[in-house]
Amino acid sequence: MSDAAGGGRRAAVTDLLVEACARLVGEANVERDVWLSDASGVGGRAPVMVKPASAEEVREVVAWAYAQDVPIVPVGGASGYSGGIVPIDPRPSVAVSLERLNRVRSFDPLLWRMEVEAGVTTATVQRLARENGLLFPPDPGAPEQSQIGGNLATNAGGPHAFKYGVTSRWVTGVEAVIAPGELATFGGPVRKDVAGYDLRSLLIGSEGTLGVITAAWLRLVPAPPMAIPVAATYSSIPDGVRAIEAALGSGVVPATIEYLQGTCLAYAPPPFLDARDVAFMVICEAESEHERDELLEALGDTAAAQDPKVLWRWRGGVSLAVRAAKGEKLAEDIAVPLDRLEDAITRSLEIGEAHRVEATSWGHAGDGNLHVSYLFDPGDREEARRAEAAATALFDLARELGGTVSGEHGIGLLKGGQLLGQWSEPAVAAHEAVKRALDPKGLFNPGKKEPRPA
Amino acid sequence: MSDAAGGGRRAAVTDLLVEACARLVGEANVERDVWLSDASGVGGRAPVMVKPASAEEVREVVAWAYAQDVPIVPVGGASGYSGGIVPIDPRPSVAVSLERLNRVRSFDPLLWRMEVEAGVTTATVQRLARENGLLFPPDPGAPEQSQIGGNLATNAGGPHAFKYGVTSRWVTGVEAVIAPGELATFGGPVRKDVAGYDLRSLLIGSEGTLGVITAAWLRLVPAPPMAIPVAATYSSIPDGVRAIEAALGSGVVPATIEYLQGTCLAYAPPPFLDARDVAFMVICEAESEHERDELLEALGDTAAAQDPKVLWRWRGGVSLAVRAAKGEKLAEDIAVPLDRLEDAITRSLEIGEAHRVEATSWGHAGDGNLHVSYLFDPGDREEARRAEAAATALFDLARELGGTVSGEHGIGLLKGGQLLGQWSEPAVAAHEAVKRALDPKGLFNPGKKEPRPA
C-alpha cells in the first residue's frame, strides 16, 4: 500500500469513527486528529477524541468501541509524567476526555465525604474541603490542571502522603466503565467493606488499562488546626539524611518529610534563606506547636519555621525552574526502602556524572520517594540520549536497592517493561492474568503499564 | 457405592494425602482427620492438615496439591466469624496451618517497619511495636489468638480503624504462594509503589481464595502520647446518634467512635458507670488533652474520661457476655453510610423483634459498622432457624441502605452468595473473572467468598 493510499484509508476509518462517536455524544463533542501529550513532553496523535457529558455516555462510547475492536485511551488533565494519555496503538484509537464529567455529585461535609465525577479538578476538591474545615490530603503537583480521575488512575501521591497516605487511602468507592462496556461501582460512601475482592484498589493505579474511571467517592478529614513547615539545611547529603532519621525518631508524625538536594536550590533559591553552599534541605511540616518544637530540635541548628504559603508556593515552582536550567529534563521518580535513601540520592547523582548529564534530586524523603531529573538541551540529541541512558541506569539502581521504578508517576508509556526484574516472573504473570481477565480484548489504553519489554 | 466402601475409599485417599504431605513437611507436621472451626461456631473436617515451617514448604505443599487437584484451605488463628477456615469441598482437602511460620523476619523500629511471617500473632506485633514506642493500629478481637496472615486474609479492622484505617493501610508488602505453586512478593519495605497493579490490596481481604499469604511487610507509626477514652450515655438511640454527629463535627479526629446499644450494657454492665436505663453508649478516644476536652463537650452532660485499660478490657468482654446470655449468638457485621446509622441500628433490632429473637447491637459507629447479634438457645433448633432468618433480613437491610453485608468479618462460608445484589452483575462478573484468572483450577479455599448463590 502506498503512503497516499494508507493515508486515505486512515482518513476513511477516522471518518467512520467520528461519525459513530458523534451519534453517541453529539458532533460538538467530537474532535478529530488531536495531539495528546502530558508533562513528560512525549505526545501522539489520536484520530478522534470524544468528550462525553456523563458516565452513561462514557459507557456508550466504550461499549461501541469494545465491540468494534477500537482501542480506548482515557484522558484526564494531562499533568502526568509517564505518557499515560499518549495514543500509541497502531490501530486508530478513540481518546475519551473526561473533562465534561465535572459535577460534584454530592458533598456532605458533616460526614467527611464527597462524590465527584472524574473530570473534577484536584484543586476543586481541595478547595471545597478547605472551605468546610476539611482536608483532602493527596497533593500531587498541578492541582488546577489535574483531575480526580487521573489522580485515581495513577494513585497519585504528593508531599503530604507521608502522614496521610496516597490517593487510594482517600477513596471509598470507584465508578468505572469496564469491559465490554458496563458501568460498575466498587464500594461507595461506606467506609469499610470486605464483601468482594478489593477491585476498587485494583482499578486505582491501573492507569486506564482495566477500565475508564467515571466517578469516585472520596473520604475527607478535619483539617489540622495549623500547618507549620520547618526547613533546615545541611552541608552534605549524609548530614541531611541523619536529620531525616532524627525526625523519624522524634516521636511525632510529620505531615511531610521532604528533601531537596543542592543543585535544585541553586536553580530555585528559596526566598526564605540563603541557599549558597547548601548541599541538602529538609522540610518537615508540623501540625501543632508541640510538633513544631520537636521537629525544630530534631532537624538541628539551621532549622526554622516557615510561612506555609510562601514555602509551598516556592516548592511547587522548583520543578519548572530546574527544567528551565537546560531547556528540558527527564523526570523519574523511584522509591526505595528508607535505609537506602542516602545511597539512592548519592548514586542517582553519580549516574548523572557517569552519563555526563546534570542531575538534580528532590522528593518525599519520608516515603523514600526520589524525583530525579536528568537535564538536557532539547536541541542536543546526543545529550538527550545520554539522559535516557541515565534514566535506565536509575531504574536498575531502584531495583538493586530493593525499591520500585515508580513511587508516584506510574509506568505509562515511558517505563513500559520495567516491572519485570522488580517483580518475579510469577508476580508479573499474575499482573498479566488480571489484565487479560478484565480486558480480554486488550483495548483499554493498549501499550501502557506493560510489565515486560515488548 | 455403599457407605462402607465410600468410607474405605476416603480413608485410602487420605492415606495418600498424608503420605505425600509427610514427604514435604515431615510426618510430625501432618495431622489427619482434623476438626476445623472458628469463632462463628461452624466447623468441618479436613482429612489432612499440614504445618509447614517456612514459606518454601508452603510453596511445596501448594505446588503438589495444585498439580493433584487437591483443594487447599489456609488456616490461621481460627478467630474469624465467617467460617473461612472450614473445609467444605466434597473432594478431600489439605488444610494448611500457618502457625509454624511464626518468625519476625526483621524489625526496624527507627524506620517504623517490620516483616513478619503469617503465623505471628496480632498481639506479638502489637507488643513489639508498643515496646519500641510505636503503634500497629489494627485491633481486631482476640489478638492473642489471631494471626497476621488471617488479619490480612480478612483485611481485619477494629475500633481504631476509624482514625487509622483497616489492615491494608498498614501493609506495604505481601508474600504469598499463588497458583500453580509459586512464591511471589507484591511490594516490600517500600512505602510507595505504583509500578504494578495493586495485587497487594487484591490479596488482602481475599480470604485465602487467591493464594496463601506467607508473610507481610508492616508499617508502624509512633504511638500517640496518650489515649483517653471518653464514654457517654444516652436515653435513646437518636440521642446517641446525634452525639456521634457532634463528635464528627468537633473538628478533632477521634481514634475511635464506638457505640453499644442498651441490651449489650444490660448483659455486660460497664464497671465505670451505672448502666441502668441506658439505651446507648458512645466511646470516643482522644489522643491529647485538647482532643479530650473537645470530645467531652461534643458528647454532652454524661461524658466522662475513662481509664483506657479498664475500658478496653471491659469492651473486649462484651461479645462473650452477650453470647452467654442465651448460650449462642449469630454475629453479623454490616456497614452502612454514616447518614443511615440510626436507621440501621434501629431496624436491626426491629428485625430481631419480627423474628422473635433477642437482638443486640454494638460496633464501630464512626465507620458505620454494626456488629448485630441475634441470640438463641443452641438446644432450640427452631429459635436457631429464626436467628438465621433474622440475619438474612439484616443483609437485605444493609443492601437497602446502600451498605455492605460485611465491614470486617468477610464472606467466608456463612455469607456466601450475598455479594450479588450489593454489587451489580457486571461488578460480580469482574470479581469472578479475577478469581478465575488467579486460581484457574478453583483450588484455593473453594466455596469461600462466593459472590453469588451456588
Side-chain angles (χ1 to χ4, degrees), chain A residues 109-113 154-159 161-166 168-169 178 182-187 189-202 204-207 209-210 219 221-223 225 245 247-249 251-254 257 290 333 335-339 364 366-369 402-411 419 422-424 426-435 437-438 448-449, chain B residues 109-113 154-159 161-166 168-169 178 182-187 189-202 204-207 209-210 219 221-223 225 245 247-249 251-254 257 290 333 335-339 364 366-369 402-411 419 422-424 426-435 437-438 448-449:
Chain A
L110 295 175
L111 302 177
W112 307 1
R113 72 187 192 199
T154 55
N155 199 7
F162 177 68
K163 174 170 184 173
Y164 290 100
V166 293
S168 66
R169 160 119 176 93
I178 57 175
E182 302 275 6
L183 195 60
T185 304
F186 303 97
V190 180
R191 292 169 55 101
K192 260 181 180 172
D193 184 0
V194 290
Y197 292 141
D198 191 356
L199 303 187
R200 183 189 57 75
S201 294
L202 187 65
I204 296 172
S206 67
E207 305 183 33
T209 64
L210 302 177
R219 281 178 4 131
V221 69
E245 288 163 0
L248 289 170
V252 311
V253 184
I257 306 184
H290 163 75
D333 84 312
V336 296
L338 275 180
D339 48 322
H364 317 305
D367 281 327
N369 189 188
T404 174
V405 297
S406 183
E408 299 190 322
H409 293 169
I411 296 300
L419 187 64
Q422 176 176 327
W423 284 15
S424 68
V428 168
H431 174 112
E432 293 169 325
V434 166
K435 166 72 175 176
L438 296 184
K448 312 295 168 57
K449 212 175 178 83
Chain B
L110 295 175
L111 302 177
W112 308 1
R113 72 187 191 198
T154 56
N155 200 6
F162 177 68
K163 175 170 183 173
Y164 289 99
V166 293
S168 67
R169 160 120 176 92
I178 58 175
E182 302 275 6
L183 195 60
T185 304
F186 303 97
V190 180
R191 291 169 54 103
K192 261 181 180 172
D193 185 0
V194 291
Y197 291 142
D198 191 356
L199 303 187
R200 185 189 57 74
S201 294
L202 187 64
I204 295 173
S206 68
E207 305 184 33
T209 64
L210 301 178
R219 279 175 11 127
V221 70
E245 289 164 0
L248 289 170
V252 311
V253 184
I257 306 184
H290 163 75
D333 84 310
V336 297
L338 274 179
D339 48 321
H364 316 306
D367 281 327
N369 187 189
T404 173
V405 298
S406 184
E408 299 191 322
H409 294 169
I411 296 299
L419 187 64
Q422 176 177 329
W423 283 16
S424 68
V428 168
H431 173 113
E432 292 169 323
V434 166
K435 167 72 175 175
L438 296 185
K448 309 298 167 54
K449 213 178 179 80

Side-chain angles (χ1 to χ4, degrees), chain A residues 108 111 113 189, chain B residues 241 245 336-343 401:
Chain A
D108 298 289
L111 302 177
R113 72 187 192 199
Chain B
V241 172
E245 289 164 0
V336 297
L338 274 179
D339 48 321
R340 311 312 297 269
L341 182 65
E342 184 184 325
D343 256 13
L401 298 179

Side-chain angles (χ1 to χ4, degrees), chain A residues 115-131:
Chain A
E115 188 188 13
V116 298
E117 292 184 337
V120 172
T121 65
T122 316
T124 301
V125 172
Q126 290 169 337
R127 180 179 51 75
L128 276 172
R130 196 169 51 239
E131 288 171 358

